[in-house]
Amino acid sequence: MRRALLSAVIAAAVLSLTGGIAAAHANYVKSNPAADARLTRPPTEVRVTFSEPPDARGSDLAVLDIDGKRVDVRDVALVSDEPNTLRVTLGAIADGGYLVSWTALSTVDGHVTKGAFGFALGDAPLPKIPDIGPSALPPTALEIAGRALSYAGMALLTGLAFFTMFIRVPASGAERRRERRLVIAGGAVLLLGSAFLLLGQGANIPGRLLGLLGLRALAGAAAIALVAVPARFLPEDARREAIAFLGLAAGLTATLVSHAAAVGDLGDVAVDYLHVMAISVWLGGVVAFSYVAMPSARGDDPRELGRTIWRFSLTALVAVAVIVTTGTLASFDRLVLFEDLVETPYGIALLAKIVLLVGLLGLGGLNLLVWGPRMRRGLAAGAQFWRGVMGESALFAGVILAAAFLTAFVPPAQASAAAFDETKHVSGIRVQLLAASTLPGRNRFVVRVQQGLTSITGAEKVALRFTMVEHDMGELELVAAERAPGEYVAEGSPTAMFGTWKAEVIVRLAGRSDVRALFTVPISPAAGQDATTKIVAVPPYQLIVFADPFQPQAGAPITINAVVVDAKGDPVLGKKLRAAFDGPATVAPLDAVENVAELGPGRYRFTVPGLEAGSWKVTIGVDGAGSGVYELVVLR
Amino acid sequence: MTRLISFVAATLVVATSFIAFAGTAAAHERRTVGPYQLVVGWLNEPAHVGFMNSLDLRVTDTRVTPAKAVEGLEKTLTVELRTGGLAPLPLTVTARFGAPGAYNGYVMPTATGTYIFTIKGKIESLDVNETFESGPGRFGDVESTDTLQYPNKVPMADDLGKRLSDLQGAVDQTRIFALAALVVGIVALGGAGMMVRRRS
């Protein structure tokens, strides 16, 4: 018992040391050039940052011109000065639209994600994006088989060890032989499953994944080897404790490459590990009961069998409580909507697993409440109990298969680079709204529309209508254009003030009424160094200066707006403003444009064709007064 | 029955107000098509679901000062109305009595939301095919009457339809549960019967 506890403590310690560093699918977070960027100067490289470390060997960034010809030099490599970022060098490129098609191989579990975005140089139109956002490839049969066998092996080793240590210690020689055969079977399927997963990854397998799968295979091999050690060198109870440790360790390797680890939170990893272990103890225990204990127990006194059933049922009840609790907690993190259960591959696999577990629970309940009590009273119910346990074992196989699909699919809740990301389900349509920023001013809104598992293409119209909650600012409308199947994009400045905005997304589809999804988008001032709106004192005036876009990128046009106000806060008209730029490169001083009719009273605008990446000091002078400095960071 | 009476009463009140305030145009879209200016909106704005309303179309010729009303277009123009992606409804265009250059096309919108008027045909010798969609900066969407009803809230038009549909869904769901309960009951009875037989 003490050794078992020690094993668990060691496993937990390993978990706490390694948890939280892993992820599951490498999703696009940002890029330079940004998606849909319009550049005035040709970039020398393309960088894409992902939500987790990509493996450079199995990943690719292909930059294609409008004719589909590659214009990069195929030197994809990880960037040392920016985490989770790949770069590729560009050759000399002319004005035109370019498509960046990326493939990212996760260093964590080897999952591959793909996606594409476009940018334009000069006045050329943006290229059409061939596919919607980041998307994971469907799992292969080899991967599913590898996962199912691995989980079955973990459950067999863990469940069997737990059962033989705490529920019923094998008493006869025949029972011990069956126990050893089951250990060999568990170790073999674990080894085989790990081998399938390694084969499925091929030569491009990331190092971390190789290490964890290698450990898993080693656990299987060690379990088989332990059976071969004579009892005089390794007593039965020590062997069982060692097998329990191997099962716990194998489960840990599964958790460390799971969706839970992708969240990067130790709590999520712990919840996932508890979930895996509870299922293993329960399901592996059912198989141990049916294969190891039942053949001997059938001839036992029904009262003794009834007591064994009682002990196992209590264990199963605790396991079910842990499974339901941890499963519910995990679902909150990985599902976006309740409808995900029937509208996403991940949700469907989860639903199948839940249904099978409910079936198992029903059969377990019969054992606990009907057959067990009957047997404890000395009545014959062994045959019914036996059939129930066989049924549970069959459902166990289904649960393992569902879990294999579940862990191979991408959960609906995925990391997104958007500052605002929310999904609504209206009239059978799934509407996702993403906003690039929650700062006031110009913004980019992406609407993704799906019905069931299908992206809705060719919507007659997708529009966004904005109204402010706190003040009557009227209603503003942006019409989105389809940039990829099921993905509609609109740009503009409808949310011009700090506060709460209602964004109503209207999707018009042929043959049905408009689908209207209402979102609440908080628009707030930026905090810290990200704030680009600054007050610059130029006595006797004050300048309110802000950049558009609010996070300028190198090579892309930047507009610097300045509002000149006097001591009372009233706008000052008819002034001449001049800006001098001091930064990594030289820019000739610029004069501001004042257009009261278009920009408003006291508003001035400097338009810069593009700046180098780095920190810039913009000295803005007002005629008849002094000057002030506005600091601007241009991103790479 | 009470709801029906309330509905009829509300319809009468709004129909009366419609007649009383006919001709007022709150928010309309103006568009220049060739030498003509078209002003399009709802005759009664804000437009509310479940109440009689009409296209309010005014056409003037801007080549002369002041702009001259263009008459006789009820014979040369056709107007279709649609909401969402649903099939359009052709409206009967009529000249408004006592208002030269103004035309009506009556309809009772039964759903809230965005509506689109498509105006086709000829204005004098000019071919036109223009689409006017309700929305911000144009003319108003059809709104719900929820905030206007007092003291009792009476479901109107599409609201009523939605409630009926929800009710039907709930009935279907109850039927499924009842059927499942029946199956469980029969199985339980069968099991109990078998146990009783074995004991005896």
Side-chain angles (χ1 to χ4, degrees), chain A residues 147-163:
Chain A
R147 284 173 182 274
L149 288 172
S150 290
Y151 299 149
M154 287 168 211
L156 286 178
L157 293 182
T158 314
L160 173 66
F162 191 88
F163 185 86

Side-chain angles (χ1 to χ4, degrees), chain A residues 200-568:
Chain A
Q201 287 295 323
N204 283 333
I205 185 166
R208 182 180 181 278
L209 182 60
L210 178 66
L212 286 170
L213 288 180
L215 279 176
R216 194 184 295 178
L218 197 64
I224 296 168
L226 282 175
V227 175
V229 179
R232 63 177 179 279
F233 297 122
L234 186 67
E236 289 293 341
D237 56 345
R239 192 202 316 271
R240 287 178 194 125
E241 287 164 9
I243 287 166
F245 175 76
L246 293 173
L248 290 168
L252 190 59
T253 64
T255 288
L256 289 179
V257 296
S258 70
H259 296 129
V263 180
D265 182 74
L266 187 59
D268 290 326
V269 176
V271 162
D272 187 83
Y273 188 57
L274 276 174
H275 191 75
V276 170
M277 285 301 103
I279 288 186
S280 294
V281 166
W282 181 21
L283 301 186
V286 167
V287 177
F289 204 153
S290 63
Y291 181 72
V292 178
M294 272 307 286
S296 307
R298 290 176 94 174
D300 288 356
D301 177 6
R303 288 184 187 83
E304 179 53 37
L305 184 57
R307 280 191 285 274
T308 306
I309 293 169
W310 174 246
R311 283 196 295 275
F312 184 65
S313 296
L314 280 183
T315 306
L317 271 181
V318 173
V320 166
V322 172
I323 291 164
V324 171
T325 308
T326 52
T328 308
L329 285 173
S331 299
F332 282 132
D333 278 340
R334 283 168 229 163
L335 296 180
V336 178
L337 300 170
F338 184 72
E339 288 83 359
D340 289 345
L341 283 172
V342 289
E343 293 186 347
T344 62
Y346 181 90
I348 290 166
L350 177 60
L351 189 61
K353 190 179 152 200
I354 291 169
V355 168
L356 289 167
L357 282 172
V358 168
L360 271 167
L361 199 59
L363 289 174
L366 269 179
N367 293 339
L368 176 68
L369 303 171
V370 182
W371 312 129
R374 284 192 68 174
M375 283 191 270
R376 283 201 297 279
R377 288 199 303 270
L379 300 169
Q384 292 93 327
F385 173 71
W386 175 251
R387 279 198 293 273
V389 170
M390 293 307 288
E392 282 186 72
S393 298
L395 288 176
F396 159 64
V399 169
I400 292 292
L401 195 62
F405 276 102
L406 187 67
T407 51
F409 288 137
V410 187
Q414 282 292 294
S416 152
F420 177 87
D421 180 355
E422 208 172 297
T423 305
K424 300 267 180 183
H425 201 275
V426 183
S427 310
I429 303 289
R430 186 187 179 86
V431 182
Q432 184 183 12
L433 175 65
L434 301 105
S437 159
T438 50
L439 293 172
R442 194 165 181 81
N443 210 339
R444 186 162 178 272
F445 299 91
V446 177
V447 178
R448 290 182 180 155
V449 190
Q450 264 187 292
Q451 185 165 30
L453 297 171
T454 314
S455 296
I456 293 180
T457 58
E460 193 179 316
K461 184 177 179 180
V462 174
L464 299 103
R465 290 190 184 171
F466 297 87
T467 46
M468 195 181 191
V469 175
E470 290 88 346
H471 306 287
D472 184 6
M473 302 271 289
E475 195 177 21
L476 298 152
E477 185 179 80
L478 287 181
V479 178
E482 189 170 6
R483 77 185 270 276
E487 189 168 275
Y488 302 82
V489 180
E491 276 194 22
S493 313
T495 49
M497 246 175 86
F498 300 140
T500 313
W501 290 80
K502 296 278 182 195
E504 187 178 35
V505 176
I506 302 170
V507 180
R508 184 163 302 149
L509 303 170
R512 61 179 295 169
S513 300
D514 285 346
V515 174
R516 289 170 174 252
L518 191 64
F519 298 87
T520 302
V521 186
I523 298 294
S524 55
Q529 59 184 15
D530 290 331
T532 53
T533 303
K534 287 168 188 164
I535 308 292
V536 178
V538 184
Y541 307 117
Q542 279 196 325
L543 270 59
I544 302 163
V545 187
F546 57 97
D548 183 9
F550 73 98
Q551 285 181 329
Q553 283 202 309
I558 302 166
T559 302
I560 296 171
N561 299 278
V563 186
V564 184
V565 294
D566 61 17
K568 293 178 185 171

